[in-house]
Amino acid sequence: MNTPLIKTPKSDPGLFDYLPYDSRPKISWPSGARVALWIAPNIEFYEYAPPPNPQRKPWPRPLPDILSYATRDYGNRVGHQRMMRVMDKYGLRGSVSLSAATLIHHPEVIELAAARDWEFFSHGIYNTRYTYGLDEAQEREMIEESMALIKQHTGQHCDGYLAPALSHSESTIDLFAEAGGAYTCDLFHDDQPTPVHTRSGKRFVSVPYSLELNDTITYVVNKIEPRRYGQMIKDAFDRLYAEGEHSGTVMCVPLHAYQVSHPHRIRAFEEAMDYICSHAGVWKATGREIAQHYLKHSYDDALAAIAAVAKEDAA
Amino acid sequence: MSMDRSYLEYPMRRHGMDQDRYAWSMLADRAPVNWPQGKPLALWLNLSLEHFPLDARGEGFKAPGNMTMPYPDLRHYTLRDYGNRVGVFRVLDALKKHDLQASLAVNGELAQRYPALLRRLHATGFELLGHGWNMDSIHYGGLDPAREREWIERSLAALAPYASHPVRGWLSPARSQSENTPELLRAAGLDWCADWVNDELPYAFHTREGDLSIMPLSLELEDRFIVGDNLHAESDYADEIIDACDFLLDEARRTGHGRMLALNIHPWVMGQPHRIKHLERIFAHFATHTDAIWNAAPSEILAAAHPAKSPA
């Protein structure tokens, strides 16, 4: 006898359905590529004197926490152009996870990215303003303002969202879909895109964004050595490339110029990109391109496969 | 209860920085810096010589490396003191062997406690930097300015007998500043400080007492940070610095703009017998590039960089 499954909205938000990796419809990327590679540079602004949020301290030390602030500022002053140079060398366009206030503080950085035909998606207003404690109207205002700023300054429609500092509410994904978004980077459950349920019922997709290969997670949280980080990127690629022979996979490398562009770290990243880009069958894509291709060519197949799994469960 | 409406107001959203301490500019856009003899890379080595009181109060916060165990935390206290007794002499020998010079950031209380150490440091001829009173005297937001001024003056007075020239530079304990620190440093006659880690070349920094210069001293390449916080192997520490050195040399040659490698070294970390050989490997790497590396005192590097002429 199986114990009846008790699923409450709090225990599982029901954002996506189970779809086992061994029984999925084939994903075909453009030109028969095996892996869709997307690089997601975070272009962020962290405030010198952010307002307090009861649920999260922006900085560990008493304000002014000049060490934390200056560490991030390094990315904008020194880092971005080093990162861009490596990406240019390998024909990689960034999909920018953008603190929208950077459009105003540092338009010079945005111009460098826009000149390279990079995508901009929303990462909130500042990375020191969290979603925690905002009511739905307030969070909607933050999301819509960030999207409007991107439109105003870059002419681009904002298709993607990564919540500021990964601070989420129960409404984040619904609100972004309702504001006209197409994909989220806030879910880390898969190596392929998946359909996401939203309360508006819009066709909306999760594009894989890797925390494990995120330079801040590897360097700050997991305290990985730079050369080992480079090797981890190569190893992840090898596996996703091999599996991509059967069905297209997604590889995301999220970056922060204040981490990856230090002189002792940039070489490891460059070598990893050199390795990956020496392979045929790599689709150098943006988050938007991956989302749109999937919505057009694979989304309905995935829904059918999910329905089949549900039928299997019911039998 | 939801957040107050003010959480979505952004009074400092404007072009440039959200504070008035320094101008916004990107390193790649600045006028070229040229070091003496046309060398592409300036090398600043700094040794931090520190006293961690056994009865640390942690006012503001506890500096990294501070006491963590119940009093008396002899374990951390003595390991820090090891650097001043043994480790520093190993590091000085390694510098001498490779004909390198360093600056010395010294806590004022350490100078007062160990005159014999300071006499030996003085004999090296290396530049002395103010490094606060001790590692439990943190310059944090909210610190009483009169008290902070007294700490700075007392720290500099303790170093004065051992300084061949007036002390010009400063490194705050734990690289922390109060909202008044830059003004107080300037008022105490200092020209530059190394607390800010947002750049790789010197730049101008505004205070109500006139401009200071910032001399960037990498945190991410610091021994205590890499080996102590990140727990990377000693050999990786050496690899990371060698990679940084090679990258900066290459970038400087490619762009024609001088670059700077600035390393902060703690004798209580790298002066250990199982670590010193890795520091020696780094120094040996520098020694193979003497045609390209200009190793100098930080005040000399600052003078050559002319930060006042840069847009920052």
Side-chain angles (χ1 to χ4, degrees):
Chain A
M1 261 303 275
N2 285 338
T3 310
L5 183 66
I6 300 169
K7 210 160 90 169
T8 68
K10 292 280 185 192
S11 72
D12 174 359
L15 289 164
F16 47 84
D17 299 293
Y18 186 66
L19 184 56
Y21 201 34
D22 67 355
S23 11
R24 297 181 177 189
K26 177 181 166 76
I27 292 176
S28 298
W29 295 132
S31 307
R34 294 178 174 204
V35 179
L37 171 71
W38 71 296
I39 309 294
N42 288 268
I43 296 185
E44 297 174 327
F45 200 99
Y46 291 75
E47 293 162 286
Y48 183 75
N53 183 303
Q55 293 190 52
R56 180 163 166 182
K57 274 182 76 172
W59 300 128
R61 296 178 174 184
L63 296 180
D65 186 345
I66 65 158
L67 186 60
S68 302
Y69 176 82
T71 294
R72 274 69 175 185
D73 190 26
Y74 174 91
N76 292 328
R77 294 173 74 83
V78 181
H80 291 308
Q81 298 196 49
R82 279 194 188 140
M83 180 182 68
M84 287 174 181
R85 182 168 178 272
V86 174
M87 290 173 65
D88 289 349
K89 183 174 170 187
Y90 297 104
L92 296 164
R93 285 147 58 226
S95 305
V96 175
S97 170
L98 181 69
S99 295
T102 317
L103 294 160
I104 296 157
H105 286 287
H106 298 331
E108 300 84 355
V109 174
I110 305 303
E111 282 158 21
L112 290 170
R116 290 165 165 77
D117 193 25
W118 285 15
E119 177 190 345
F120 298 94
F121 66 84
S122 172
H123 192 27
I125 304 288
Y126 284 102
N127 223 36
T128 35
R129 302 281 178 135
Y130 309 119
T131 304
Y132 307 124
L134 298 186
D135 63 31
E136 208 171 287
Q138 290 172 332
E139 189 178 7
R140 181 183 296 114
E141 183 183 329
M142 178 163 83
I143 289 170
E144 288 180 349
E145 192 191 1
S146 69
M147 296 172 81
L149 284 166
I150 288 171
K151 181 77 184 173
Q152 181 194 337
H153 290 262
T154 72
Q156 291 191 25
H157 181 264
C158 168
D159 284 337
Y161 195 67
L162 180 71
L166 302 187
S167 64
H168 304 111
S169 77
E170 289 172 323
S171 312
T172 300
I173 289 173
D174 289 330
L175 290 170
F176 181 64
E178 287 159 20
Y183 72 95
T184 178
C185 308
D186 279 312
L187 305 174
F188 312 102
H189 60 297
D190 220 294
D191 285 329
Q192 293 179 322
T194 60
V196 175
H197 296 292
T198 67
R199 64 190 179 194
S200 57
K202 291 189 174 174
R203 288 165 73 89
F204 189 82
V205 64
S206 165
V207 172
Y209 178 95
S210 175
L211 287 187
E212 295 293 317
L213 292 184
N214 179 310
D215 58 348
T216 295
I217 304 294
T218 51
Y219 286 132
V220 179
V221 181
N222 296 336
K223 311 203 178 296
I224 301 293
E225 301 83 352
R227 293 182 185 189
R228 187 175 153 214
Y229 177 51
Q231 189 60 47
M232 284 165 59
I233 296 174
K234 293 182 198 173
D235 290 347
F237 173 78
D238 283 344
R239 170 57 61 149
L240 293 167
Y241 189 75
E243 293 175 1
E245 188 185 348
H246 309 293
S247 176
T249 54
V250 176
M251 176 159 177
C252 178
V253 184
L255 300 174
H256 300 74
Y258 71 84
Q259 294 295 342
V260 75
S261 296
H262 277 281
H264 60 299
R265 297 192 183 123
I266 191 85
R267 175 179 149 185
F269 171 66
E270 181 165 353
E271 285 179 359
M273 292 303 108
D274 191 71
Y275 176 76
I276 290 172
C277 294
S278 71
H279 291 70
V282 177
W283 179 31
K284 296 170 184 174
T286 63
R288 177 190 287 136
E289 289 165 353
I290 294 169
Q292 286 176 351
H293 185 91
Y294 182 84
L295 283 163
K296 190 168 175 193
H297 300 284
S298 300
Y299 183 87
D300 293 314
D301 293 346
L303 292 185
I306 287 163
V309 170
K311 204 169 158 190
E312 190 186 307
D313 286 349
Chain B
M1 212 179 80
S2 62
M3 291 293 287
D4 187 87
R5 170 69 230 165
S6 64
Y7 196 70
L8 294 181
E9 289 165 5
Y10 312 102
M12 297 307 283
R13 195 163 70 183
R14 61 181 189 185
H15 182 258
M17 307 310 300
D18 61 341
Q19 34 79 22
D20 297 315
R21 287 298 193 181
Y22 53 86
W24 152 241
S25 82
M26 289 183 279
L27 179 75
D29 294 348
R30 303 199 198 129
V33 168
N34 298 299
W35 306 124
Q37 301 134 41
K39 291 186 177 180
L41 186 65
L43 174 65
W44 170 25
L45 302 173
N46 180 67
L47 310 186
S48 283
L49 295 159
E50 302 176 330
H51 174 60
F52 288 83
L54 185 59
D55 61 346
R57 296 155 303 135
E59 185 186 321
F61 61 91
K62 271 194 181 175
N66 226 303
M67 307 299 111
T68 56
M69 310 293 284
Y71 183 89
D73 185 356
L74 291 176
R75 165 180 153 185
H76 290 101
Y77 179 83
T78 54
L79 205 50
R80 304 300 170 260
D81 209 29
Y82 175 94
N84 302 321
R85 302 170 63 87
V86 179
V88 65
F89 295 101
R90 289 203 181 111
V91 177
L92 291 173
D93 283 349
L95 288 165
K96 196 170 176 185
K97 184 174 159 193
H98 295 286
D99 199 23
L100 293 163
Q101 63 168 311
S103 61
L104 306 163
V106 182
N107 287 158
E109 190 177 5
L110 186 72
Q112 193 179 67
R113 286 166 58 85
Y114 297 157
L117 170 61
L118 268 288
R119 286 194 298 274
R120 284 157 178 77
L121 295 178
H122 176 69
T124 63
F126 295 167
E127 180 173 353
L128 277 184
L129 317 187
H131 189 27
W133 181 243
N134 63 33
M135 298 309 287
D136 191 39
S137 299
I138 300 294
H139 300 250
Y140 65 95
L143 178 65
D144 171 39
R147 204 158 147 236
E148 185 174 7
R149 180 181 299 110
E150 196 270 326
W151 283 355
I152 292 169
E153 286 171 359
R154 182 148 45 103
S155 303
L156 295 174
L159 298 189
Y162 309 102
S164 311
H165 306 285
V167 174
R168 298 180 55 198
W170 178 269
L171 175 65
S172 292
R175 299 167 184 270
S176 179
Q177 294 187 345
S178 79
E179 52 277 70
N180 302 304
T181 308
E183 278 72 24
L184 295 170
L185 296 179
R186 192 78 190 82
L190 294 163
D191 297 324
W192 59 270
C193 90
D195 296 336
W196 285 69
V197 295
N198 56 341
D199 218 302
E200 285 178 2
L201 284 173
Y203 64 93
F205 190 89
H206 312 308
T207 90
R208 296 183 297 275
E209 304 285 334
D211 279 5
L212 271 179
S213 294
I214 300 295
M215 279 288 285
L217 179 63
S218 177
L219 169 74
E220 309 278 334
L221 280 172
E222 191 172 286
D223 55 350
R224 190 203 52 74
F225 182 80
I226 291 178
V227 173
D229 290 351
N230 293 344
L231 306 177
H232 294 182
E234 289 74 14
S235 56
D236 282 295
Y237 166 72
D239 288 342
E240 289 171 45
I241 290 172
I242 289 167
D243 284 354
C245 176
D246 293 350
F247 175 86
L248 291 168
L249 275 171
D250 178 66
E251 187 173 85
R253 286 176 173 136
R254 185 173 51 75
T255 61
H257 292 217
R259 289 288 180 254
M260 178 172 83
L261 178 65
L263 303 180
N264 193 24
I265 297 161
H266 295 75
W268 60 265
V269 178
M270 289 315 292
Q272 290 285 340
H274 61 296
R275 296 202 180 109
I276 189 73
K277 76 170 183 183
H278 300 284
L279 191 63
E280 287 169 346
R281 176 157 72 92
I282 294 166
F283 292 170
H285 185 79
F286 296 151
T288 62
H289 292 286
T290 45
D291 57 326
I293 292 177
W294 178 49
N295 171 223
S299 287
E300 284 181 279
I301 295 174
L302 177 64
H306 296 303
K309 290 184 192 167
S310 75

